[in-house]
């Protein structure tokens, strides 16, 4: 959408906002720098980079409140579950709303007057029209330009390719549990340092978040980044084992082969989160009594 606006194929936007969890792949930051340099700046469009903190460091800091990721849990009774996802709201939606209020001239806690709002573009294509939803505040009104012009994901890929941006990477945290096996393999095979980083994080969160543990509210079970619920360094990311497939089929709403490989399709983009997590949730990363 930024490219379409900068090239005059869509109306000119006033600004773009990137919510940074500070734990994206290096390829994403490199791509963002390129977009800013080659597309946005020449068109006079400013990209605001906003953040609520470093999601990885916050998870391991006993003095910091941590908004939990949707981690896969193996409870003491052997049953599987997930921790509730709070990270999208805390690390993406919250800083975007803060910046929007600043752009409007009414930073929190100043009340935004009735009738004052920003038109926010959300990049949902025709393949995912079911994800389109309204903002939950009156000072933001969501619009979906790709739906308006009838573009599918394939149309977007063709257009990016025509601009020399065929290698546009997916924006998501390095250690997002919604990754599919293909994404885990890409990290392992193309970026050894980032792979070591997520493997270390996976081990560090095994018993819950640092703050909960420090206050005596340990996770009653074990947490994992991979849906197989084994350490990431040992997870079957090159193939799905027969045992894993059998276990998955025994669960309600088990993922199909495509989701295992490609990850949760809807991901956790702001204002386009999937309505349900793939498995039943527990209430908190550190308080799963």
């Amino acid at each position: 959408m930024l490219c379409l606006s900068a090239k005059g194929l869509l109306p000119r936007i006033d600004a773009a906002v990137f919510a940074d969890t500070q734990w994206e792949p290096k390829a994403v930051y490199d791509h963002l720098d390129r977009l800013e340099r080659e597309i946005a700046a020449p068109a006079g469009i400013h990209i605001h980079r906003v953040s609520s903190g470093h999601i990885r460091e916050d998870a391991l800091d006993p003095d910091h409140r941590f908004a939990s990721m949707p981690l896969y849990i193996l409870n003491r009774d052997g049953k599987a579950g997930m921790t509730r996802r709070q990270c999208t709201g805390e690390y993406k939606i919250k800083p975007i709303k803060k910046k929007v209020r600043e752009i409007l001239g009414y930073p929190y806690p100043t009340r935004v007057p009735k009738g004052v709002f920003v038109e926010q573009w959300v990049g949902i294509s025709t393949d995912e029209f079911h994800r389109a939803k309204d903002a939950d505040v009156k000072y933001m009104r969501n619009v979906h330009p790709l739906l308006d012009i009838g573009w599918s994901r394939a149309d977007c890929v063709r257009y990016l390719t025509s601009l020399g941006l065929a290698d546009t990477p997916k924006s998501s945290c390095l250690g997002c549990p919604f990754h599919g096996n293909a994404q885990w393999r890409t990290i392992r095979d193309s970026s050894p340092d980032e792979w070591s980083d997520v493997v270390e994080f996976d081990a560090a969160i095994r018993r819950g978040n640092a703050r909960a543990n420090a206050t005596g509210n340990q996770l009653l079970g074990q947490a994992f980044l991979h849906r197989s619920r084994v350490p990431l360094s040992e997870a079957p990311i090159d193939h799905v084992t027969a045992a894993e497939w059998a276990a998955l089929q025994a669960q309600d709403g088990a993922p199909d082969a495509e989701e295992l490989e490609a990850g949760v399709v809807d991901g956790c983009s702001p204002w386009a989160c999937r309505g349900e997590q793939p498995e039943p949730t527990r209430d908190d990363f550190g308080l799963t009594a």
Side-chain angles (χ1 to χ4, degrees):
M1 294 187 302
L2 172 64
C3 295
L4 288 168
S5 176
K7 301 298 183 181
L9 300 176
L10 285 176
R12 187 184 179 283
I13 56 174
D14 297 301
V17 182
F18 174 74
D20 186 7
T21 67
Q22 300 185 44
W23 199 29
E24 296 261 358
K26 181 178 182 297
V28 169
Y29 294 115
D30 290 344
H31 178 72
L32 182 60
D33 290 341
R34 183 183 176 191
L35 279 181
E36 190 168 43
R37 182 176 62 252
E38 299 180 10
I39 304 294
I45 299 172
H46 181 66
I47 299 178
H48 298 275
R49 305 191 191 201
V50 298
S51 180
S52 286
H54 194 302
I55 191 171
R56 186 192 194 281
E57 293 179 359
D58 291 349
L60 303 180
D61 182 356
D63 296 322
H64 193 283
R65 173 191 171 276
F66 176 64
S68 69
M69 300 175 186
L71 301 170
Y72 294 96
I73 300 297
L74 186 62
N75 294 299
R76 286 181 176 175
D77 60 6
K79 293 183 179 179
M82 293 191 76
T83 54
R84 193 172 303 281
R85 185 192 61 231
Q86 300 171 318
C87 47
T88 301
E90 181 71 19
Y91 289 92
K92 293 186 178 181
I93 295 177
K94 182 178 176 179
I96 290 174
K97 285 181 174 178
K98 180 180 178 182
K99 176 52 66 175
V100 165
R101 290 177 64 102
E102 292 174 359
I103 291 173
L104 287 172
Y106 299 96
Y108 183 84
T110 306
R111 181 179 177 275
V112 179
K114 183 178 180 180
V116 175
F117 63 92
V118 65
E119 184 179 271
Q120 175 178 246
W121 290 7
V122 183
I124 293 175
S125 64
T126 55
D127 316 71
E128 351 174 79
F129 69 89
H130 61 283
R131 297 172 65 192
K133 61 179 72 172
D134 294 329
D136 58 358
V137 290
K138 293 182 179 179
Y139 59 84
M140 301 172 76
R141 296 187 183 178
N142 287 354
V143 293
H144 305 89
L146 298 180
L147 296 183
D148 294 339
I149 63 176
W151 274 29
S152 67
R153 179 178 179 83
D155 292 321
C156 296
V157 171
R158 279 193 291 271
Y159 180 62
L160 289 171
T161 300
S162 74
L163 297 177
L165 297 170
D167 57 349
T168 296
K170 180 179 180 179
S171 174
S172 64
C173 289
L174 274 170
C176 180
F178 283 163
H179 285 341
N181 288 338
Q183 291 159 295
W184 289 125
R185 288 197 303 273
T186 296
I187 297 172
R188 181 196 65 188
D189 299 341
S190 65
S191 182
D193 289 343
E194 291 181 337
W195 177 248
S196 295
D197 184 35
V198 292
V199 167
E200 289 172 5
F201 180 78
D202 173 71
I205 51 87
R206 192 75 68 233
R207 295 292 179 181
N209 79 68
R211 183 176 184 184
N213 288 330
T215 56
N217 296 309
Q218 293 90 354
L219 185 70
L220 300 183
Q222 293 183 308
F224 302 86
L225 291 181
H226 193 266
R227 67 168 73 243
S228 62
R229 294 175 176 83
V230 299
L232 186 58
S233 59
E234 305 169 18
I237 64 175
D238 289 300
H239 63 279
V240 180
T241 65
E244 183 187 14
W245 184 254
L248 287 168
Q249 296 313 299
Q251 302 170 13
D252 292 334
D256 57 22
E258 182 178 357
E259 184 172 309
L260 287 170
E261 181 68 6
V264 175
V265 176
D266 291 351
C268 54
S269 300
W271 288 279
C273 299
R274 59 182 295 128
E276 301 291 338
Q277 294 190 168
E279 299 176 29
T281 59
R282 303 301 293 267
D283 283 340
D284 187 85
F285 183 11
L287 302 173
T288 54

